[in-house]
Amino acid sequence: KNEVEQSPQNLTAQEGEFITINCSYSVGISALHWLQQHPGGGIVSLFMLSSGKKKHGRLIATINIQEKHSSLHITASHPRDSAVYICAVRSGGSQGNLIFGKGTKLSVKP
Amino acid sequence: NAGVTQTPKFQVLKTGQSMTLQCAQDMNHNSMYWYRQDPGMGLRLIYYSASEGTTDKGEVPNGYNVSRLNKREFSLRLESAAPSQTSVYFCASGVRTGIYGYTFGSGTRLTVV
């Protein structure tokens, strides 16, 4: 069983829709990251959070430590949001290396 | 612009050839990482360096070596490339104290034929 599970694997939405991507993990963590990978391949860090909620523009990330679950929401989606969204957790061990989910491929149609 | 610079962007190797992937960061981060990304799999850690002068194996270190040349530079070497090493490689850097984010290089698409 993967330590970090994302759902759905693929998601197609119409422009303007509200989008939710989920991430569940099974290990103790000190932080959770949401990353965005565009079709060109580059990876950008969107959020790093250890509790509660963070918001940046149309993006909102939440985490529930007790339930070991995080969600990434995109409001008023736009075709430029089309990308792979990756959840990664920083383990609570001394090395604190990231464990990555397989990603959710989002396609927003105009 | 501050960030992580990774070279080359593309490379084709023949089986058995060697090459070094270069990575440099200008954010004064202590930690640097090399990952590989394969279809249908999450990013996997090859090697990391928690600080200048130290390196440690990650999840998939076989067939690779690394050098932390100084605080800025962390290189990944394939001594004898194999088709199984065909992948996209990413370098990243981060700060190891407290809560921190990561900055990724733009990736190297490597094909071994």
Side-chain angles (χ1 to χ4, degrees), chain A residues 39-101:
Chain A
I43 298 173
V44 175
S45 180
L46 297 175
F47 293 105
M48 176 182 64
L49 63 165
S50 57
S51 65
K53 173 178 162 178
K54 286 191 175 180
K55 185 176 188 292
H56 181 69
R58 295 180 294 105
L59 301 178
I60 303 166
T62 64
I63 187 168
N64 185 317
I65 297 293
Q66 287 73 31
E67 295 186 3
K68 295 188 175 180
H69 181 269
S70 175
S71 293
L72 176 68
H73 305 286
I74 305 175
T75 61
S77 60
H78 189 276
R80 66 175 174 266
D81 297 325
S82 298
V84 175
Y85 292 84
I86 301 170
C87 172
V89 300
R90 179 152 66 98
S91 65
S94 60
Q95 297 302 332
N97 293 320
L98 290 181
I99 306 169
F100 293 83

Short mmCIF file of all heavy atoms in Angstrom, two decimals, chain A residues 39-101:
data_model
loop_
_atom_site.label_atom_id
_atom_site.label_comp_id
_atom_site.label_asym_id
_atom_site.label_seq_id
_atom_site.Cartn_x
_atom_site.Cartn_y
_atom_site.Cartn_z
N PRO A 39 2.56 20.81 -18.00
CA PRO A 39 2.91 19.91 -19.11
C PRO A 39 4.36 20.03 -19.55
O PRO A 39 4.95 19.05 -20.00
CB PRO A 39 1.95 20.34 -20.22
CG PRO A 39 0.76 20.87 -19.49
CD PRO A 39 1.31 21.54 -18.26
N GLY A 40 4.97 21.18 -19.39
CA GLY A 40 6.38 21.33 -19.73
C GLY A 40 7.30 20.58 -18.79
O GLY A 40 8.48 20.41 -19.10
N GLY A 41 6.78 20.15 -17.64
CA GLY A 41 7.54 19.31 -16.74
C GLY A 41 8.02 19.96 -15.47
O GLY A 41 8.33 19.26 -14.51
N GLY A 42 8.08 21.30 -15.43
CA GLY A 42 8.59 21.96 -14.24
C GLY A 42 7.68 21.76 -13.04
O GLY A 42 6.47 21.63 -13.17
N ILE A 43 8.27 21.69 -11.85
CA ILE A 43 7.51 21.47 -10.61
C ILE A 43 7.61 22.72 -9.75
O ILE A 43 8.70 23.23 -9.50
CB ILE A 43 8.06 20.26 -9.84
CG1 ILE A 43 7.92 18.99 -10.68
CG2 ILE A 43 7.33 20.09 -8.51
CD1 ILE A 43 8.59 17.78 -10.08
N VAL A 44 6.43 23.17 -9.30
CA VAL A 44 6.37 24.38 -8.48
C VAL A 44 5.69 24.03 -7.16
O VAL A 44 4.68 23.32 -7.14
CB VAL A 44 5.56 25.47 -9.21
CG1 VAL A 44 5.39 26.68 -8.31
CG2 VAL A 44 6.25 25.87 -10.50
N SER A 45 6.23 24.52 -6.08
CA SER A 45 5.62 24.31 -4.78
C SER A 45 4.46 25.29 -4.60
O SER A 45 4.64 26.50 -4.75
CB SER A 45 6.67 24.53 -3.69
OG SER A 45 6.10 24.34 -2.42
N LEU A 46 3.27 24.77 -4.29
CA LEU A 46 2.09 25.61 -4.11
C LEU A 46 1.88 25.95 -2.64
O LEU A 46 1.65 27.10 -2.29
CB LEU A 46 0.84 24.90 -4.63
CG LEU A 46 0.79 24.58 -6.11
CD1 LEU A 46 -0.45 23.77 -6.43
CD2 LEU A 46 0.83 25.85 -6.95
N PHE A 47 1.88 24.91 -1.82
CA PHE A 47 1.62 25.08 -0.40
C PHE A 47 2.47 24.13 0.41
O PHE A 47 2.81 23.05 -0.05
CB PHE A 47 0.14 24.75 -0.06
CG PHE A 47 -0.87 25.69 -0.62
CD1 PHE A 47 -1.63 25.31 -1.70
CD2 PHE A 47 -1.07 26.94 -0.05
CE1 PHE A 47 -2.58 26.16 -2.22
CE2 PHE A 47 -2.03 27.79 -0.56
CZ PHE A 47 -2.79 27.40 -1.65
N MET A 48 2.78 24.58 1.62
CA MET A 48 3.35 23.69 2.62
C MET A 48 2.54 23.96 3.88
O MET A 48 2.42 25.11 4.29
CB MET A 48 4.81 24.00 2.84
CG MET A 48 5.48 23.20 3.92
SD MET A 48 7.18 23.71 4.11
CE MET A 48 6.99 25.40 4.66
N LEU A 49 1.94 22.92 4.46
CA LEU A 49 1.13 23.16 5.64
C LEU A 49 1.23 22.02 6.62
O LEU A 49 1.48 20.88 6.25
CB LEU A 49 -0.34 23.43 5.25
CG LEU A 49 -1.20 22.39 4.55
CD1 LEU A 49 -2.66 22.78 4.63
CD2 LEU A 49 -0.80 22.22 3.12
N SER A 50 1.05 22.35 7.87
CA SER A 50 1.09 21.34 8.92
C SER A 50 -0.20 21.33 9.74
O SER A 50 -0.40 20.41 10.53
CB SER A 50 2.28 21.59 9.86
OG SER A 50 2.21 22.88 10.39
N SER A 51 -1.05 22.31 9.53
CA SER A 51 -2.35 22.33 10.21
C SER A 51 -3.24 23.34 9.51
O SER A 51 -2.75 24.26 8.83
CB SER A 51 -2.18 22.72 11.68
OG SER A 51 -1.70 24.05 11.80
N GLY A 52 -4.55 23.15 9.69
CA GLY A 52 -5.51 24.15 9.25
C GLY A 52 -5.63 24.31 7.76
O GLY A 52 -5.82 23.36 7.02
N LYS A 53 -5.51 25.55 7.31
CA LYS A 53 -5.88 25.90 5.96
C LYS A 53 -4.97 27.03 5.48
O LYS A 53 -4.59 27.90 6.25
CB LYS A 53 -7.34 26.34 5.99
CG LYS A 53 -7.93 26.93 4.74
CD LYS A 53 -9.42 27.23 5.03
CE LYS A 53 -10.02 28.19 4.06
NZ LYS A 53 -11.46 28.42 4.35
N LYS A 54 -4.64 26.99 4.18
CA LYS A 54 -3.93 28.09 3.55
C LYS A 54 -4.61 28.45 2.25
O LYS A 54 -5.16 27.59 1.57
CB LYS A 54 -2.46 27.73 3.31
CG LYS A 54 -1.60 27.71 4.56
CD LYS A 54 -0.13 27.60 4.22
CE LYS A 54 0.73 27.69 5.47
NZ LYS A 54 2.17 27.60 5.17
N LYS A 55 -4.53 29.72 1.90
CA LYS A 55 -5.18 30.21 0.68
C LYS A 55 -4.20 31.08 -0.10
O LYS A 55 -3.48 31.91 0.48
CB LYS A 55 -6.43 31.01 1.05
CG LYS A 55 -7.27 31.47 -0.14
CD LYS A 55 -8.53 32.16 0.35
CE LYS A 55 -9.50 32.46 -0.79
NZ LYS A 55 -9.01 33.47 -1.71
N HIS A 56 -4.19 30.86 -1.42
CA HIS A 56 -3.37 31.71 -2.28
C HIS A 56 -4.12 31.90 -3.59
O HIS A 56 -4.23 30.97 -4.40
CB HIS A 56 -2.00 31.07 -2.53
CG HIS A 56 -1.11 31.92 -3.39
ND1 HIS A 56 -0.59 33.12 -2.95
CD2 HIS A 56 -0.66 31.75 -4.65
CE1 HIS A 56 0.14 33.65 -3.92
NE2 HIS A 56 0.11 32.84 -4.96
N GLY A 57 -4.67 33.07 -3.74
CA GLY A 57 -5.46 33.33 -4.95
C GLY A 57 -6.68 32.42 -4.99
O GLY A 57 -7.48 32.40 -4.06
N ARG A 58 -6.81 31.66 -6.07
CA ARG A 58 -7.96 30.74 -6.21
C ARG A 58 -7.69 29.36 -5.63
O ARG A 58 -8.52 28.47 -5.73
CB ARG A 58 -8.31 30.62 -7.69
CG ARG A 58 -8.80 31.92 -8.32
CD ARG A 58 -9.15 31.76 -9.81
NE ARG A 58 -7.97 31.45 -10.60
CZ ARG A 58 -7.67 30.25 -11.10
NH1 ARG A 58 -8.48 29.23 -10.89
NH2 ARG A 58 -6.58 30.08 -11.82
N LEU A 59 -6.56 29.17 -5.04
CA LEU A 59 -6.18 27.88 -4.49
C LEU A 59 -6.33 27.88 -2.98
O LEU A 59 -5.94 28.84 -2.31
CB LEU A 59 -4.73 27.54 -4.85
CG LEU A 59 -4.37 27.47 -6.33
CD1 LEU A 59 -2.89 27.18 -6.50
CD2 LEU A 59 -5.20 26.43 -7.05
N ILE A 60 -6.90 26.78 -2.46
CA ILE A 60 -7.05 26.61 -1.02
C ILE A 60 -6.59 25.21 -0.66
O ILE A 60 -6.98 24.25 -1.32
CB ILE A 60 -8.53 26.77 -0.59
CG1 ILE A 60 -9.08 28.13 -1.03
CG2 ILE A 60 -8.66 26.60 0.92
CD1 ILE A 60 -10.58 28.22 -0.94
N ALA A 61 -5.76 25.10 0.37
CA ALA A 61 -5.32 23.79 0.83
C ALA A 61 -5.71 23.64 2.29
O ALA A 61 -5.56 24.57 3.08
CB ALA A 61 -3.82 23.65 0.68
N THR A 62 -6.24 22.47 2.62
CA THR A 62 -6.62 22.17 3.99
C THR A 62 -5.97 20.87 4.42
O THR A 62 -5.65 20.02 3.59
CB THR A 62 -8.15 22.04 4.13
OG1 THR A 62 -8.59 20.92 3.36
CG2 THR A 62 -8.86 23.30 3.65
N ILE A 63 -5.79 20.72 5.71
CA ILE A 63 -5.25 19.47 6.24
C ILE A 63 -5.93 19.13 7.55
O ILE A 63 -6.22 20.02 8.36
CB ILE A 63 -3.71 19.55 6.41
CG1 ILE A 63 -3.15 18.17 6.79
CG2 ILE A 63 -3.32 20.61 7.44
CD1 ILE A 63 -1.63 18.09 6.71
N ASN A 64 -6.24 17.84 7.71
CA ASN A 64 -6.80 17.32 8.96
C ASN A 64 -5.82 16.29 9.48
O ASN A 64 -5.75 15.18 8.96
CB ASN A 64 -8.18 16.70 8.71
CG ASN A 64 -8.85 16.27 10.00
OD1 ASN A 64 -8.21 15.69 10.88
ND2 ASN A 64 -10.13 16.55 10.13
N ILE A 65 -5.04 16.68 10.46
CA ILE A 65 -3.98 15.81 10.96
C ILE A 65 -4.54 14.54 11.59
O ILE A 65 -4.00 13.45 11.40
CB ILE A 65 -3.10 16.57 11.98
CG1 ILE A 65 -2.39 17.75 11.33
CG2 ILE A 65 -2.10 15.63 12.64
CD1 ILE A 65 -1.36 17.36 10.30
N GLN A 66 -5.65 14.67 12.31
CA GLN A 66 -6.24 13.49 12.97
C GLN A 66 -6.70 12.46 11.96
O GLN A 66 -6.53 11.25 12.15
CB GLN A 66 -7.42 13.91 13.86
CG GLN A 66 -7.02 14.63 15.15
CD GLN A 66 -6.53 16.03 14.90
OE1 GLN A 66 -6.96 16.70 13.95
NE2 GLN A 66 -5.62 16.50 15.73
N GLU A 67 -7.28 12.94 10.85
CA GLU A 67 -7.78 12.02 9.83
C GLU A 67 -6.71 11.70 8.79
O GLU A 67 -6.97 10.90 7.87
CB GLU A 67 -9.01 12.61 9.15
CG GLU A 67 -10.19 12.76 10.10
CD GLU A 67 -11.44 13.22 9.39
OE1 GLU A 67 -11.41 13.37 8.15
OE2 GLU A 67 -12.46 13.42 10.08
N LYS A 68 -5.54 12.31 8.86
CA LYS A 68 -4.45 12.08 7.91
C LYS A 68 -4.94 12.31 6.48
O LYS A 68 -4.80 11.45 5.59
CB LYS A 68 -3.85 10.69 8.08
CG LYS A 68 -3.17 10.51 9.42
CD LYS A 68 -2.41 9.19 9.52
CE LYS A 68 -1.65 9.14 10.84
NZ LYS A 68 -0.89 7.88 11.00
N HIS A 69 -5.49 13.49 6.28
CA HIS A 69 -6.11 13.80 5.00
C HIS A 69 -5.92 15.28 4.69
O HIS A 69 -5.98 16.14 5.58
CB HIS A 69 -7.61 13.48 5.06
CG HIS A 69 -8.32 13.74 3.78
ND1 HIS A 69 -8.91 14.96 3.49
CD2 HIS A 69 -8.51 12.96 2.69
CE1 HIS A 69 -9.45 14.89 2.29
NE2 HIS A 69 -9.23 13.70 1.79
N SER A 70 -5.69 15.55 3.41
CA SER A 70 -5.57 16.93 2.94
C SER A 70 -6.35 17.07 1.64
O SER A 70 -6.51 16.11 0.89
CB SER A 70 -4.11 17.29 2.70
OG SER A 70 -3.97 18.59 2.15
N SER A 71 -6.85 18.26 1.41
CA SER A 71 -7.52 18.56 0.15
C SER A 71 -6.94 19.83 -0.46
O SER A 71 -6.56 20.76 0.26
CB SER A 71 -9.03 18.76 0.36
OG SER A 71 -9.65 17.56 0.75
N LEU A 72 -6.91 19.83 -1.79
CA LEU A 72 -6.55 21.02 -2.55
C LEU A 72 -7.78 21.43 -3.35
O LEU A 72 -8.34 20.61 -4.09
CB LEU A 72 -5.38 20.75 -3.49
CG LEU A 72 -4.97 21.90 -4.40
CD1 LEU A 72 -4.35 23.03 -3.59
CD2 LEU A 72 -3.97 21.43 -5.46
N HIS A 73 -8.23 22.66 -3.16
CA HIS A 73 -9.39 23.16 -3.87
C HIS A 73 -8.96 24.26 -4.85
O HIS A 73 -8.08 25.07 -4.52
CB HIS A 73 -10.41 23.77 -2.89
CG HIS A 73 -10.82 22.84 -1.80
ND1 HIS A 73 -11.67 21.78 -2.01
CD2 HIS A 73 -10.50 22.82 -0.49
CE1 HIS A 73 -11.86 21.14 -0.87
NE2 HIS A 73 -11.16 21.75 0.07
N ILE A 74 -9.59 24.26 -6.00
CA ILE A 74 -9.40 25.33 -6.98
C ILE A 74 -10.76 25.94 -7.27
O ILE A 74 -11.68 25.22 -7.71
CB ILE A 74 -8.76 24.82 -8.28
CG1 ILE A 74 -7.46 24.08 -8.00
CG2 ILE A 74 -8.52 25.98 -9.25
CD1 ILE A 74 -6.83 23.43 -9.22
N THR A 75 -10.91 27.21 -6.99
CA THR A 75 -12.18 27.87 -7.28
C THR A 75 -12.11 28.53 -8.66
O THR A 75 -11.02 28.92 -9.12
CB THR A 75 -12.49 28.95 -6.23
OG1 THR A 75 -11.45 29.95 -6.27
CG2 THR A 75 -12.54 28.36 -4.83
N ALA A 76 -13.26 28.60 -9.31
CA ALA A 76 -13.35 29.24 -10.64
C ALA A 76 -12.23 28.75 -11.55
O ALA A 76 -11.41 29.53 -12.05
CB ALA A 76 -13.31 30.76 -10.48
N SER A 77 -12.20 27.46 -11.79
CA SER A 77 -11.09 26.86 -12.54
C SER A 77 -10.97 27.45 -13.94
O SER A 77 -11.95 27.91 -14.56
CB SER A 77 -11.27 25.35 -12.61
OG SER A 77 -12.49 25.03 -13.26
N HIS A 78 -9.75 27.41 -14.44
CA HIS A 78 -9.40 28.00 -15.73
C HIS A 78 -8.51 27.01 -16.48
O HIS A 78 -7.78 26.24 -15.84
CB HIS A 78 -8.66 29.31 -15.48
CG HIS A 78 -8.44 30.12 -16.71
ND1 HIS A 78 -7.39 29.91 -17.58
CD2 HIS A 78 -9.16 31.14 -17.23
CE1 HIS A 78 -7.47 30.77 -18.56
NE2 HIS A 78 -8.54 31.52 -18.38
N PRO A 79 -8.57 27.04 -17.82
CA PRO A 79 -7.70 26.10 -18.57
C PRO A 79 -6.22 26.18 -18.17
O PRO A 79 -5.52 25.16 -18.23
CB PRO A 79 -7.91 26.53 -20.03
CG PRO A 79 -9.32 27.01 -20.05
CD PRO A 79 -9.53 27.70 -18.73
N ARG A 80 -5.76 27.31 -17.73
CA ARG A 80 -4.34 27.39 -17.33
C ARG A 80 -4.05 26.64 -16.04
O ARG A 80 -2.89 26.45 -15.67
CB ARG A 80 -3.91 28.85 -17.18
CG ARG A 80 -4.58 29.60 -16.06
CD ARG A 80 -3.99 31.01 -15.92
NE ARG A 80 -4.72 31.79 -14.93
CZ ARG A 80 -5.72 32.61 -15.23
NH1 ARG A 80 -6.08 32.77 -16.50
NH2 ARG A 80 -6.33 33.29 -14.28
N ASP A 81 -5.11 26.19 -15.35
CA ASP A 81 -4.91 25.35 -14.16
C ASP A 81 -4.60 23.90 -14.54
O ASP A 81 -4.28 23.08 -13.67
CB ASP A 81 -6.16 25.36 -13.27
CG ASP A 81 -6.46 26.74 -12.71
OD1 ASP A 81 -5.50 27.50 -12.43
OD2 ASP A 81 -7.65 27.07 -12.58
N SER A 82 -4.73 23.57 -15.82
CA SER A 82 -4.46 22.20 -16.28
C SER A 82 -3.02 21.84 -15.98
O SER A 82 -2.09 22.51 -16.43
CB SER A 82 -4.73 22.07 -17.78
OG SER A 82 -6.09 22.34 -18.06
N ALA A 83 -2.84 20.78 -15.20
CA ALA A 83 -1.52 20.39 -14.74
C ALA A 83 -1.67 19.10 -13.94
O ALA A 83 -2.79 18.61 -13.73
CB ALA A 83 -0.90 21.47 -13.85
N VAL A 84 -0.56 18.56 -13.50
CA VAL A 84 -0.58 17.46 -12.54
C VAL A 84 -0.33 18.05 -11.15
O VAL A 84 0.63 18.80 -10.96
CB VAL A 84 0.48 16.40 -12.87
CG1 VAL A 84 0.51 15.32 -11.79
CG2 VAL A 84 0.20 15.78 -14.24
N TYR A 85 -1.19 17.70 -10.21
CA TYR A 85 -1.06 18.19 -8.84
C TYR A 85 -0.58 17.04 -7.97
O TYR A 85 -1.16 15.96 -7.96
CB TYR A 85 -2.39 18.76 -8.35
CG TYR A 85 -2.74 20.02 -9.10
CD1 TYR A 85 -3.38 19.96 -10.34
CD2 TYR A 85 -2.38 21.27 -8.60
CE1 TYR A 85 -3.66 21.12 -11.06
CE2 TYR A 85 -2.66 22.44 -9.31
CZ TYR A 85 -3.28 22.34 -10.54
OH TYR A 85 -3.55 23.49 -11.25
N ILE A 86 0.48 17.30 -7.26
CA ILE A 86 1.17 16.26 -6.50
C ILE A 86 1.13 16.60 -5.01
O ILE A 86 1.44 17.72 -4.61
CB ILE A 86 2.64 16.13 -6.96
CG1 ILE A 86 2.71 15.80 -8.45
CG2 ILE A 86 3.37 15.08 -6.13
CD1 ILE A 86 4.12 15.90 -9.03
N CYS A 87 0.73 15.61 -4.24
CA CYS A 87 0.77 15.72 -2.78
C CYS A 87 2.04 15.02 -2.28
O CYS A 87 2.39 13.95 -2.78
CB CYS A 87 -0.47 15.04 -2.21
SG CYS A 87 -0.50 14.87 -0.42
N ALA A 88 2.72 15.63 -1.34
CA ALA A 88 3.92 15.01 -0.77
C ALA A 88 3.94 15.29 0.72
O ALA A 88 3.59 16.39 1.15
CB ALA A 88 5.18 15.57 -1.43
N VAL A 89 4.34 14.29 1.50
CA VAL A 89 4.40 14.48 2.94
C VAL A 89 5.84 14.40 3.40
O VAL A 89 6.64 13.62 2.87
CB VAL A 89 3.54 13.45 3.69
CG1 VAL A 89 2.08 13.58 3.26
CG2 VAL A 89 4.02 12.03 3.49
N ARG A 90 6.15 15.24 4.37
CA ARG A 90 7.47 15.17 4.97
C ARG A 90 7.34 14.31 6.20
O ARG A 90 6.59 14.64 7.12
CB ARG A 90 8.00 16.56 5.31
CG ARG A 90 9.36 16.57 5.97
CD ARG A 90 10.10 17.85 5.69
NE ARG A 90 9.45 19.00 6.30
CZ ARG A 90 9.83 19.54 7.46
NH1 ARG A 90 10.80 19.00 8.14
NH2 ARG A 90 9.22 20.60 7.93
N SER A 91 8.05 13.19 6.20
CA SER A 91 7.91 12.24 7.30
C SER A 91 8.40 12.86 8.60
O SER A 91 9.19 13.80 8.60
CB SER A 91 8.69 10.95 6.99
OG SER A 91 10.07 11.23 6.92
N GLY A 92 7.92 12.28 9.69
CA GLY A 92 8.28 12.83 10.98
C GLY A 92 9.62 12.36 11.49
O GLY A 92 10.05 12.78 12.55
N GLY A 93 10.29 11.49 10.73
CA GLY A 93 11.59 10.99 11.16
C GLY A 93 12.68 12.03 11.10
O GLY A 93 12.46 13.15 10.64
N SER A 94 13.87 11.64 11.55
CA SER A 94 14.95 12.60 11.65
C SER A 94 15.40 13.14 10.30
O SER A 94 15.83 14.28 10.19
CB SER A 94 16.15 11.97 12.37
OG SER A 94 16.59 10.83 11.64
N GLN A 95 15.28 12.32 9.26
CA GLN A 95 15.73 12.79 7.95
C GLN A 95 14.70 13.70 7.32
O GLN A 95 15.04 14.61 6.58
CB GLN A 95 16.05 11.61 7.03
CG GLN A 95 17.19 10.73 7.54
CD GLN A 95 18.47 11.52 7.72
OE1 GLN A 95 18.71 12.51 7.06
NE2 GLN A 95 19.30 11.08 8.65
N GLY A 96 13.44 13.42 7.59
CA GLY A 96 12.39 14.31 7.09
C GLY A 96 12.31 14.41 5.59
O GLY A 96 12.00 15.47 5.06
N ASN A 97 12.57 13.33 4.87
CA ASN A 97 12.48 13.40 3.42
C ASN A 97 11.04 13.30 2.95
O ASN A 97 10.17 12.80 3.65
CB ASN A 97 13.31 12.27 2.80
CG ASN A 97 14.79 12.46 3.07
OD1 ASN A 97 15.30 13.57 3.02
ND2 ASN A 97 15.47 11.37 3.37
N LEU A 98 10.78 13.80 1.74
CA LEU A 98 9.44 13.81 1.19
C LEU A 98 9.05 12.44 0.65
O LEU A 98 9.86 11.74 0.06
CB LEU A 98 9.33 14.83 0.07
CG LEU A 98 9.38 16.30 0.45
CD1 LEU A 98 9.24 17.17 -0.80
CD2 LEU A 98 8.30 16.65 1.45
N ILE A 99 7.79 12.09 0.85
CA ILE A 99 7.17 10.92 0.23
C ILE A 99 6.07 11.44 -0.67
O ILE A 99 5.18 12.17 -0.20
CB ILE A 99 6.60 9.95 1.28
CG1 ILE A 99 7.67 9.58 2.31
CG2 ILE A 99 6.03 8.71 0.61
CD1 ILE A 99 7.12 8.86 3.52
N PHE A 100 6.10 11.06 -1.94
CA PHE A 100 5.22 11.66 -2.94
C PHE A 100 4.06 10.75 -3.30
O PHE A 100 4.20 9.53 -3.38
CB PHE A 100 6.00 11.95 -4.23
CG PHE A 100 7.05 13.00 -4.09
CD1 PHE A 100 8.30 12.70 -3.59
CD2 PHE A 100 6.79 14.31 -4.46
CE1 PHE A 100 9.28 13.67 -3.46
CE2 PHE A 100 7.76 15.29 -4.33
CZ PHE A 100 9.00 14.97 -3.82
N GLY A 101 2.91 11.36 -3.54
CA GLY A 101 1.82 10.67 -4.21
C GLY A 101 2.10 10.60 -5.70
O GLY A 101 3.05 11.21 -6.20
#
